[in-house]
């Protein structure tokens, strides 16, 4: 199965997307956007910024877990991960986004 961005409409009418790896796991989630075009622009930002040096930031969370954020060149967060048990797992997650984002298809479920 190939990687894909899945675009959905939230219960409040806003749009959001998830990046799924080839195995179906969600590896990145977006914020909510008021306009569908803004969410589509967010997907393009993930594609572009995932390849940019220094775009990922791995952060420690409470309870000894870790997650990462992907930032645009202006510093705005364009996506974030779920929680990982270790820093190494979170870093592997960033590699997965780097490897999957550029070639991911779009599945529009909005």
């Amino acid at each position: 199965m190939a990687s894909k961005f899945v675009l959905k409409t939230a219960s409040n009418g806003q749009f959001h997307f998830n990046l799924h790896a080839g195995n179906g796991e969600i590896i990145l989630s977006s914020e909510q956007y008021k306009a569908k075009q803004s969410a589509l622009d967010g997907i393009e930002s993930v594609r572009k910024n995932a390849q940019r040096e220094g775009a990922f930031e791995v952060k420690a969370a409470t309870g000894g877990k870790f997650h990462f954020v992907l930032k645009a060149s202006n510093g705005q967060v364009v996506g974030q991960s779920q929680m990982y048990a270790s820093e190494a797992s979170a870093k592997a997650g960033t590699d997965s986004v780097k490897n999957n984002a550029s070639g991911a298809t779009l599945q529009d479920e909005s």
Side-chain angles (χ1 to χ4, degrees), residues 40-62:
L40 293 170
D41 292 345
I43 289 171
E44 290 310 309
S45 182
V46 170
R47 290 185 200 278
K48 181 176 80 173
N49 287 293
Q51 307 309 315
R52 189 173 55 79
E53 189 66 36
F56 289 96
E57 184 180 343
V58 175
K59 298 182 172 189
T62 57

Side-chain angles (χ1 to χ4, degrees), residues 12-93:
N12 63 3
Q14 294 191 3
F15 299 89
H16 64 98
F17 60 85
N18 292 310
L19 173 59
H20 294 253
N23 64 3
E25 291 290 319
I26 294 173
I27 54 177
L28 185 86
S29 297
S30 75
E31 63 180 2
Q32 291 190 353
Y33 298 90
K34 292 181 181 177
K36 182 175 182 176
Q37 186 58 53
S38 297
L40 293 170
D41 292 345
I43 289 171
E44 290 310 309
S45 182
V46 170
R47 290 185 200 278
K48 181 176 80 173
N49 287 293
Q51 307 309 315
R52 189 173 55 79
E53 189 66 36
F56 289 96
E57 184 180 343
V58 175
K59 298 182 172 189
T62 57
K65 296 194 180 244
F66 294 84
H67 71 285
F68 64 83
V69 295
L70 172 61
K71 294 182 177 182
S73 56
N74 65 2
Q76 182 178 358
V77 174
V78 293
Q80 63 184 5
S81 72
Q82 305 298 320
M83 291 296 168
Y84 291 91
S86 70
E87 186 175 9
S89 295
K91 287 181 179 177

